[in-house]
Amino acid sequence: MFGEDDIVRSHKGRADLIFNIVVGCFIIILIRLWYLQIYKGDEFYKYSVQNRLRKETVKAPRGMIFSRNNQLLVQNVPRFDAIIVPQYLTNKKETLSKLSKILDMSEKSINSILKKNAYQARYRPVIIKKNISQKEVAVIETENSKMPGVSVQTFIAREYADKEIGSHALGYISEISQSKIRTFRDRDNYDYKLGDFIGQAGIEKNFDLDLRGEDGYQFMEVDARGRMKRLIGGKNLFAGIENKPATPGNNIRLTIDRDMQRTAYESLEGKVGAAVAVDVNTGEILAMVSRPSFDPTEFSRGITRERWNKLSRDEHKPMTDRTIQEHYSPGSTFKTFTAIAALEEKIVTPTQEVSCPPTFRLGRRVFHDWKRNGHGPTDIYKSLRRSVDVYFYKIATKLDIDDLYKYAQQFGFNSKTGVPLPREIPGLLPNKEWKLKKTGEPWQKGETLSCVIGQSYVLATPIQLAMAYATIANGGKLMQPHLIKEIFSSDGTIKKKFSPKVVNTVTVSQDSLEHVKKGLYQVVNHRKGTAWWYRGRGIRMAGKSGTSQVRSMSKKELFSRCVDMPYEDRHHGIFVAFAPFDNPKVAVAAVVEHGCSGSGAAAPVVRNVTETYMKKYEPELYAKYSKEDKEYARKIYLEEKRKKEEAAAKKKLEEESE
């Protein structure tokens, strides 16, 4: 028999093992507790705190855009969106029922939006309705406790002060789609997020990274249903949880003059066309408008599919910037450069008269002048003043198309101007090599006759015409047009400053330029000039009108009334000018599609814009010229009155003698 001591000794080994295991477990637990509560205590405390917090992105305000005179053109305004965070959405049926009544939406449509966004993480908010009213905001905030997961998100939207005026130059922003986000990330080397807005056109696009700020974030304490209890500041029981403020984007000051911009836009009222005004010495763009237009604020607030379809399908293409994205046959405005080529190649002298009958025959084809009876003897000045087609037809028989190309391309034709806006097109200036590559056929002399008067293959954008005439005005320097004066931070620090840039200095004699300028002055200020009746007062502009045919026409159609033609067959009207003539400061180009004539349709636009410039920037000169123009007009009136009286007296004498 075993005694008690023997029994104890027999179990002692197992008891020691169990004891050691228990002690070991306690030691492990103590070590783990030390690790969790002391060594990692601060870190896990932070995690536990974050379970009670929700981190929300604070969108950075986009930089604002100002005119050259510091008038605010584009600013940021708050927008309110109704959102649902699926993670906290409980009592779904009851919640959606209440929300549908507040937002005046069906439960089906809300469910559809939630399903459409089901692929994203449940903690990410889903926008149910954008741009909700103040009343809807108030009701949601009041009923928040009864609708877990539903809240109002404040968003900074863009607002464009002048709406449609100049919208093509300013551009617009819109939300990045899921399908495009990778493309934009690769293009800009920037970590865009879903829900970010990006510039899609104009300055908003080309200077997006300058205007874009850096997003911040803030923490808020929430309950188990995700409802906000309070915002978390720096000094509170959640030490170590820091909010990051958003950094605003940089602001941009443009070269645009708001008054000139508005004048150009209003002058094109009821028309389809465009206008550009530039400083001839610096290339600064003072006005840049295209009509019809659109309100870019609609895109920032979230444009509807119906509205987008209406804009994109409109036959007059309101989304197209006609100043740089549409080119036209320049018509007679191109004769100026043919005249320069003819003078430089010694084909004619300035005062040499050329007989100009109503028609000119080349082979079996007859080319008609716009004036049924012709113009008679014509020199270089009259050829521009009266826009004599036959004069230029005769020049074309002696001027090689490659020589015309050589001179005209120096003034910027056939090349993009370099304006800092997207999707600019280069226009077209043909030569022999181009045609051979394009058609496989050699150049024909008859094609030169059409090109010298700005028809046929020749195409130019309004901004190209403005810069070309600015080059004549400043003595031969082709400037690069620019829209930005400077980029500066929210505290006023200048980040970038833009200076004038000479693209090319033309190899044309000053004599040739002066002769052409004299002819352009007569176009507007000579009583028989084609733009005499649209010269205005106090501006002393020199310019050229142009009528751009949209299709070839028979002799009968050529001399019929343009306004009686179907709209789509009417000629485009073009006018380009610079002022003041003695010391040019500004050049303006305008195109009116199907306006029938440059003088009647486009010249008033140019006149109005130029007058706004002179009144604002050259008031003393404007007053002086206005006085002189008034006196001259009175002199003409008295002269005409005297002639009528003399004619009436002569007629009376003849009747009495009979």
Side-chain angles (χ1 to χ4, degrees):
M1 297 293 295
F2 293 101
E4 290 183 6
D5 290 341
D6 293 329
I7 294 173
V8 170
R9 277 195 298 269
S10 67
H11 289 86
K12 187 176 186 304
R14 281 180 286 177
D16 290 343
L17 177 62
I18 293 171
F19 175 79
N20 290 335
I21 291 172
V22 171
V23 170
C25 289
F26 272 106
I27 290 172
I28 291 171
I29 292 171
L30 288 172
I31 291 172
R32 185 62 177 168
L33 287 173
W34 173 84
Y35 176 80
L36 294 175
Q37 295 189 10
I38 298 176
Y39 184 75
K40 288 285 188 177
D42 291 341
E43 183 177 341
F44 286 111
Y45 172 73
K46 187 176 179 180
Y47 290 151
S48 69
V49 166
Q50 288 179 345
N51 286 332
R52 298 169 58 189
L53 302 179
R54 187 165 72 208
K55 182 181 179 181
E56 290 206 342
T57 299
V58 178
K59 292 291 184 181
R62 199 169 172 86
M64 294 181 286
I65 302 177
F66 298 84
S67 73
R68 68 185 296 114
N69 305 118
N70 295 322
Q71 295 161 305
L72 189 59
L73 299 178
V74 185
Q75 64 176 328
N76 302 309
V77 295
R79 185 189 89 186
F80 302 101
D81 299 338
I83 65 169
I84 289 178
V85 180
Q87 179 181 354
Y88 301 115
L89 181 60
T90 56
N91 300 325
K92 183 176 179 181
K93 186 172 182 180
E94 182 182 345
T95 299
L96 297 191
S97 176
K98 288 180 180 178
L99 185 61
S100 67
K101 294 174 183 176
I102 296 171
L103 299 180
D104 193 23
M105 296 173 66
S106 67
E107 290 183 50
K108 184 178 179 181
S109 62
I110 297 176
N111 261 313
S112 175
I113 294 171
L114 289 171
K115 287 179 182 178
K116 188 177 179 181
N117 291 273
Y119 65 88
Q120 69 180 29
R122 288 177 56 78
Y123 64 83
R124 291 185 61 86
V126 176
I127 298 177
I128 303 302
K129 184 178 181 181
K130 297 178 179 179
N131 301 308
I132 62 176
S133 66
Q134 293 285 352
K135 180 181 178 181
E136 289 169 328
V137 171
V139 175
I140 290 175
E141 293 291 354
T142 303
E143 298 290 320
N144 185 261
S145 62
K146 301 174 184 176
M147 296 187 296
V150 177
S151 60
V152 174
Q153 177 176 270
T154 303
F155 183 82
I156 300 174
R158 291 295 249 183
E159 184 173 81
Y160 299 78
D162 294 330
K163 300 184 183 298
E164 293 90 353
I165 301 176
S167 60
H168 297 91
L170 293 173
Y172 63 90
I173 65 171
S174 65
E175 190 172 348
I176 301 175
S177 65
Q178 175 77 17
S179 60
K180 293 287 185 70
I181 192 165
R182 185 181 294 276
T183 302
F184 288 136
R185 283 173 177 169
D186 293 341
R187 185 193 71 183
D188 298 337
N189 192 28
Y190 187 91
D191 187 23
Y192 294 109
K193 303 288 194 305
L194 281 176
D196 282 354
F197 278 66
I198 192 171
Q200 299 282 12
I203 290 166
E204 293 277 25
K205 178 179 181 179
N206 273 28
F207 293 87
D208 182 78
L209 294 179
D210 292 292
L211 290 164
R212 181 180 298 280
E214 184 179 351
D215 290 347
Y217 52 81
Q218 68 179 9
F219 291 94
M220 60 177 65
E221 188 177 4
V222 295
D223 61 17
R225 294 185 175 183
R227 295 172 297 198
M228 186 183 76
K229 295 171 67 177
R230 60 174 175 144
L231 291 173
I232 303 304
K235 296 180 179 179
N236 50 55
L237 61 91
F238 300 111
I241 304 298
E242 297 291 338
N243 295 330
K244 178 186 174 184
T247 303
N250 292 319
N251 302 315
I252 290 179
R253 184 171 291 110
L254 302 180
T255 60
I256 292 291
D257 181 276
R258 193 179 188 184
D259 295 326
M260 293 176 68
Q261 188 96 313
R262 184 177 287 111
T263 297
Y265 188 82
E266 291 173 352
S267 298
L268 286 166
E269 180 70 38
K271 301 178 175 70
V272 176
V276 182
V278 299
D279 185 310
V280 302
N281 296 308
T282 66
E284 290 185 350
I285 297 174
L286 303 172
M288 193 175 193
V289 299
S290 178
R291 292 197 75 164
S293 188
F294 62 93
D295 184 356
T297 302
E298 290 183 304
F299 290 87
S300 175
R301 295 183 182 277
I303 193 168
T304 63
R305 183 179 296 276
E306 293 75 18
R307 177 59 178 157
W308 169 249
N309 288 338
K310 184 177 180 181
L311 286 170
S312 58
R313 294 172 184 173
D314 191 315
E315 62 177 338
H316 294 309
K317 301 185 289 187
M319 298 302 295
T320 298
D321 184 355
R322 286 174 165 79
T323 62
I324 62 171
Q325 295 169 359
E326 193 70 80
H327 51 203
Y328 307 85
S329 295
S332 294
T333 62
F334 191 73
K335 290 175 181 175
T336 304
F337 305 96
T338 302
I340 290 173
L343 290 171
E344 288 294 296
E345 292 296 309
K346 312 299 182 187
I347 294 173
V348 292
T349 63
T351 56
Q352 177 185 342
E353 290 190 335
V354 177
S355 175
C356 295
T359 60
F360 178 79
R361 180 181 291 274
L362 181 70
R364 288 180 295 178
R365 183 176 175 184
V366 176
F367 292 80
H368 294 272
D369 194 281
W370 68 267
K371 188 178 181 184
R372 191 186 294 269
N373 299 321
H375 294 273
T378 301
D379 60 14
I380 199 78
Y381 310 118
K382 183 179 177 181
S383 73
L384 294 171
R385 179 176 74 239
R386 297 295 296 156
S387 199
V388 183
D389 292 328
V390 170
Y391 180 89
F392 291 96
Y393 293 150
K394 290 189 172 183
I395 283 177
T397 62
K398 301 176 183 179
L399 180 65
D400 191 272
I401 188 63
D402 285 350
D403 288 331
L404 178 59
Y405 178 91
K406 177 179 69 175
Y407 291 105
Q409 60 89 24
Q410 293 186 52
F411 290 85
F413 293 100
N414 208 49
S415 301
K416 295 180 181 180
T417 64
V419 62
L421 292 174
R423 296 186 286 277
E424 181 186 12
I425 58 176
L428 176 61
L429 186 62
N431 58 12
K432 294 174 184 176
E433 181 184 1
W434 171 84
K435 192 194 174 189
L436 195 61
K437 285 182 178 179
K438 184 75 175 177
T439 66
E441 298 177 358
W443 188 265
Q444 302 296 320
K445 179 59 72 173
E447 293 172 317
T448 306
L449 268 69
S450 295
C451 287
V452 295
I453 62 168
Q455 298 291 162
S456 184
Y457 300 120
V458 183
L459 297 169
T461 62
I463 197 169
Q464 282 179 320
L465 290 172
M467 298 314 299
Y469 273 71
T471 304
I472 294 173
N474 68 29
K477 291 183 179 180
L478 176 63
M479 307 300 296
Q480 179 175 316
H482 62 280
L483 271 166
I484 313 295
K485 287 186 78 72
E486 58 191 19
I487 298 175
F488 60 99
S489 64
S490 56
D491 64 4
T493 303
I494 303 298
K495 298 292 185 178
K496 294 180 188 177
K497 203 172 181 69
F498 295 81
S499 303
K501 180 181 179 182
V502 178
V503 176
N504 180 50
T505 300
V506 300
T507 57
V508 173
S509 69
Q510 289 299 312
D511 284 344
S512 294
L513 291 178
E514 289 302 319
H515 290 310
V516 166
K517 286 165 73 174
K518 181 179 177 181
L520 296 177
Y521 181 79
Q522 291 182 10
V523 170
V524 182
N525 299 282
H526 191 286
R527 290 172 65 182
K528 291 188 177 181
T530 55
W532 162 258
W533 296 107
Y534 305 95
R535 66 193 182 282
R537 281 189 182 178
I539 56 179
R540 295 288 171 88
M541 64 181 179
K544 187 73 186 76
S545 57
T547 300
S548 172
Q549 293 180 4
V550 297
R551 64 173 179 82
S552 59
M553 294 190 171
S554 65
K555 179 181 177 181
K556 182 179 179 181
E557 289 177 313
L558 192 64
F559 293 110
S560 62
R561 278 167 45 91
C562 176
V563 292
D564 294 333
M565 297 179 184
Y567 176 80
E568 63 274 10
D569 290 340
R570 297 175 189 173
H571 318 308
H572 299 323
I574 305 173
F575 193 80
V576 195
F578 55 84
F581 175 73
D582 295 330
N583 184 19
K585 301 288 187 182
V586 62
V588 187
V591 175
V592 176
E593 293 184 9
H594 308 294
C596 283
S597 76
S599 296
V605 178
V606 174
R607 176 197 63 204
N608 294 345
V609 174
T610 306
E611 187 177 80
T612 300
Y613 176 89
M614 292 294 289
K615 284 181 177 179
K616 188 169 184 176
Y617 295 103
E618 301 286 346
E620 293 180 1
L621 205 54
Y622 176 77
K624 176 189 173 187
Y625 287 158
S626 294
K627 183 179 179 182
E628 292 174 356
D629 290 345
K630 187 176 181 180
E631 291 173 353
Y632 183 58
R634 178 166 177 76
K635 179 181 177 182
I636 293 174
Y637 168 75
L638 293 174
E639 184 180 332
E640 292 293 333
K641 182 180 179 182
R642 179 181 59 79
K643 286 181 179 180
K644 287 181 181 179
E645 289 174 348
E646 288 177 353
K650 183 179 179 181
K651 184 178 181 181
K652 185 177 180 181
L653 285 173
E654 289 174 351
E655 290 174 350
E656 289 176 351
S657 63
E658 290 177 358

